Amino acid sequence: MAKVKKSPWVLHYDGASCNGCDIEVLACLTPVYDAERFGIVNTGDPMQADILLLTGGINAQCQEVVKQIYEQMPRPKVVVAVGTCACTGGVFKEAYNILGGADTTVPVDIYVPGCAARPQSIIDGIVKAVALFQQRSDEHDKGIVNGSREGES
Amino acid sequence: MGKQSIIPFGPQHPVLPEPIHLDLVMEDEKILEAVPSIGFVHRGLESLVEKKDYQEMVYVIERTCGICSFMHGMGYCESIEHIMNVEVPARGRFLRTIWCEMSRIHSHLLWLGLLADAFGFESLFYQCWRMREKILDMFEMTTGGRVIFSVNKVGGVLKDMDEGQIRQILDTIEWIEKELTKIKKTFLNDYTVETRLRGVGVLTKEQAHDLGAVGPFARASGVVLDMRKRGYAAYPELDFEPVTSEDGDSWARCEVRINEIFQAIDLIRQAAAKIPAGDLAVEVKGNPEGEFFMRVEQPRGEAVYFSKGNGTKFLDRMRVRTPTFANIPGMLQTLKGADYADVPILILTIDPCISCTER
Ligand code: SF4
């Protein structure tokens, strides 16, 4: 893991998930798995968040919400899709109200597979996200504007 | 009369792990009315019956909700088993009961933790979730999964527990019983906690009945309603009485859920003592034709599974009515006249499971 200069703040949002991945994300923050030992802090406020953990697929109604949350986050930012649903739409892929995975709506950097994703792999995803976030903020400091991707607000 | 204003609550909110949106019509600090809007997690799961056959549907129905996933799968399987007149072997029924009650323990512990978090008692939250992890370990040991197990099938269950595993489950629930007895004091007798819970969000027995409340939410108001008494899985062979309380406030709902954990522990012990040897499942041939309503008592209350088969391998219709959906009118009732600061607790006391509600 890269050396972290700043503690990234993590925001969790549940798209159209079955809840299984959400409780695993929450379990990651409790003492048994304690993801906070990697220097992250869990927050509820998009405007202060650096890493977005998205669970579940995207449906017509939550699409706007997810977009809004993503846009409210300051740059640089990293998006992690947790669970098969968030990666591809998963078991609900063929359901009429699911547009697909998280990447139909926001650019996803890290995919964590599993139904439900296990805490170990979620932690793995978070650790990768922290490293990526550090890299992006270094680039950002050096004035490389494209720390995150082109064409986003 | 003060000035009225509308405060939007959710869908993304720090106390909610899941999205639900409420418009709170406020007058000063008091809530006059709460207007919910749902649909943020609607997936259209029931329509998948057109694309998946009735045996594959078990795995979809299980993913209605990750917390009571086992019971969803079981409720659906039992409805199909009734249509097809399939008798599940005794061992299969007892195993289902054990997993059901373990799910209840894990769900209630999860809720207790979230409640503690809502009134700002972080360490209590961590204590509850620490105990819950032990149950998840037992799930992992017996089924291989932590939240989604996929051990149900039409006709029985797929995995067995051996002697050692049952022994270990009994040891774990004994440990949980000891730990919970300690924590119970903090939840029910601590002065600070009591001031946040006592008298908050009272739902009278009449209101609970009229608004169609189910599960611990109704039982805390004195309505004796427990679907396990209707007899499915191995419940007819076990001895238990529905847990109720009288006050109908948040404290009573907390008390009912804590006592239900003790009851679940007792039921697992009874089931482990009585579990017979034998087959896990019977082979199922043919396709379902007919319809059936299956009622299951989940941690949050009564869930209804309606299946309608037409003699082909694809069902005509599958419908799930979940407990949270039935409890939302009751929740809106408790929100009327409440303080703004109590909103998180009131929403939590029905133990909302949004992904069930919207499917
Ligand atoms: S990946 Fe599986 S467990 Fe996770 S939200 Fe989707 S269906 Fe639920």
Side-chain angles (χ1 to χ4, degrees):
Chain A
M1 200 175 113
K3 204 165 137 219
V4 193
K5 289 196 207 116
K6 171 186 181 279
S7 289
W9 288 33
V10 173
L11 173 72
H12 161 228
Y13 185 73
D14 167 8
S17 86
C18 85
N19 214 333
C21 287
D22 300 304
I23 48 179
E24 291 296 57
V25 167
L26 275 181
C28 282
L29 299 168
T30 57
V32 179
Y33 294 100
D34 194 16
E36 296 194 347
R37 71 199 136 116
F38 298 109
I40 60 158
V41 175
N42 185 31
T43 172
D45 182 0
M47 306 218 190
Q48 295 174 351
D50 304 303
I51 298 174
L52 175 61
L53 294 182
L54 271 177
T55 53
I58 300 290
N59 68 20
Q61 201 172 357
C62 79
Q63 189 170 33
E64 280 311 304
V65 184
V66 171
K67 253 191 215 151
Q68 227 177 50
I69 292 176
Y70 181 77
E71 275 158 19
Q72 283 176 354
M73 287 168 58
R75 280 199 285 169
K77 48 195 162 190
V78 177
V79 179
V80 186
V82 177
T84 312
C85 281
C87 294
T88 64
V91 57
F92 308 119
K93 196 172 184 175
E94 291 171 308
Y96 61 83
N97 203 26
I98 290 286
L99 305 172
D103 49 11
T104 54
T105 305
V106 290
V108 175
D109 300 296
I110 290 156
Y111 295 86
V112 178
C115 179
R118 301 181 79 81
Q120 289 87 339
S121 43
I122 297 177
I123 289 176
D124 204 26
I126 292 178
V127 169
K128 288 210 165 76
V130 170
L132 189 62
F133 173 74
Q134 189 58 42
Q135 183 196 332
R136 282 196 184 155
S137 60
D138 287 348
E139 285 169 5
H140 195 81
D141 290 346
K142 280 188 209 129
I144 307 172
V145 187
N146 201 10
S148 36
R149 283 179 219 160
E150 205 87 59
E152 56 187 42
S153 57
Chain B
M1 194 172 124
K3 195 167 145 272
Q4 283 195 8
S5 49
I6 295 180
I7 297 187
F9 188 90
Q12 194 272 327
H13 192 279
V15 298
L16 298 171
E18 293 180 280
I20 181 171
H21 180 85
L22 292 173
D23 277 323
L24 302 172
V25 184
M26 311 273 301
E27 189 187 303
D28 300 332
E29 283 285 298
K30 288 266 179 251
I31 295 165
L32 294 181
E33 206 188 351
V35 187
S37 55
I38 57 174
F40 292 96
V41 261
H42 178 60
R43 287 152 282 167
L45 180 149
E46 290 165 2
S47 77
L48 283 176
V49 286
E50 294 161 9
K51 295 176 183 133
K52 315 253 182 219
D53 69 36
Y54 74 95
Q55 287 177 339
E56 288 170 343
M57 261 320 264
V58 181
Y59 306 109
V60 177
I61 297 293
E62 263 190 351
R63 284 160 176 81
T64 311
C65 155
I67 302 176
C68 4
S69 129
F70 180 82
M71 298 196 198
H72 280 300
M74 186 192 78
Y76 169 76
C77 288
E78 296 235 350
S79 76
I80 301 287
E81 282 152 12
H82 272 102
I83 295 176
M84 299 176 76
N85 282 324
V86 173
E87 183 100 27
V88 179
R91 189 170 179 88
R93 288 189 290 114
F94 271 88
L95 285 175
R96 277 183 181 177
T97 311
I98 294 178
W99 276 315
C100 268
E101 291 308 315
M102 280 162 70
S103 301
R104 199 177 310 277
I105 299 178
H106 120 77
S107 171
H108 282 348
L109 282 174
L110 179 137
W111 177 82
L112 284 172
L114 291 180
L115 180 74
D117 193 38
F119 55 64
F121 205 148
E122 280 284 305
S123 57
L124 199 55
F125 163 58
Y126 285 147
Q127 289 295 338
C128 296
W129 280 57
R130 182 176 65 104
M131 285 153 62
R132 178 178 161 268
E133 281 295 328
K134 294 275 186 233
I135 285 285
L136 294 191
D137 286 348
M138 290 302 108
F139 279 134
E140 197 171 355
M141 177 186 76
T142 50
T143 67
R146 278 166 51 90
V147 288
I148 308 269
F149 322 135
S150 304
V151 284
N152 268 306
K153 69 168 193 170
V154 178
V157 293
L158 292 166
K159 290 211 170 103
D160 199 2
M161 294 182 199
D162 61 28
E163 275 300 307
Q165 287 175 332
I166 291 180
R167 188 69 259 147
Q168 227 169 319
I169 290 175
L170 291 177
D171 288 348
T172 308
I173 57 174
E174 197 184 321
W175 177 82
I176 286 181
E177 192 176 31
K178 248 200 328 242
E179 293 287 304
L180 190 67
T181 318
K182 289 187 218 153
I183 285 186
K184 182 181 172 183
K185 285 197 211 105
T186 317
F187 270 112
L188 299 181
N189 302 337
D190 186 83
Y191 173 75
T192 325
V193 175
E194 243 179 294
T195 50
R196 289 303 306 270
L197 297 181
R198 276 256 196 222
V200 174
V202 178
L203 191 75
T204 62
K205 189 171 178 178
E206 286 70 38
Q207 281 172 336
H209 186 266
D210 292 348
L211 295 170
V214 293
F217 190 46
R219 288 197 286 273
S221 301
V223 181
V224 186
L225 185 77
D226 193 330
M227 288 310 127
R228 288 176 288 179
K229 277 281 171 207
R230 288 178 59 88
Y232 57 89
Y235 289 112
E237 286 142 73
L238 305 178
D239 177 34
F240 67 99
E241 281 307 319
V243 180
T244 56
S245 183
E246 290 307 320
D247 295 350
D249 56 0
S250 301
W251 187 88
R253 300 198 266 276
C254 186
E255 187 198 16
V256 165
R257 291 200 175 90
I258 289 180
N259 288 337
E260 278 189 11
I261 301 179
F262 288 120
Q263 184 192 43
I265 289 174
D266 179 50
L267 283 172
I268 295 178
R269 285 198 183 123
Q270 289 185 35
K274 282 189 184 161
I275 189 166
D279 286 341
L280 299 177
V282 287
E283 206 178 327
V284 177
K285 289 204 189 78
N287 295 317
E289 187 166 12
E291 50 190 358
F292 195 79
F293 268 102
M294 179 70 207
R295 303 166 76 183
V296 169
E297 183 74 21
Q298 285 193 343
R300 286 160 187 74
E302 172 193 355
V304 180
Y305 302 84
F306 170 69
S307 310
K308 182 165 179 236
N310 54 5
T312 67
K313 62 182 183 154
F314 296 101
L315 297 179
D316 256 358
R317 181 81 169 92
M318 164 69 215
R319 164 113 174 83
V320 190
R321 203 290 317 265
T322 57
T324 308
F325 191 69
N327 279 339
I328 284 182
M331 177 185 89
L332 299 180
Q333 173 65 36
T334 59
L335 278 172
K336 266 182 213 153
D339 278 334
Y340 183 68
D342 287 333
V343 173
I345 292 183
L346 291 177
I347 294 183
L348 267 177
T349 47
I350 70 162
D351 198 356
C353 176
I354 312 299
S355 62
C356 292
T357 314
E358 304 181 352
R359 302 178 300 279

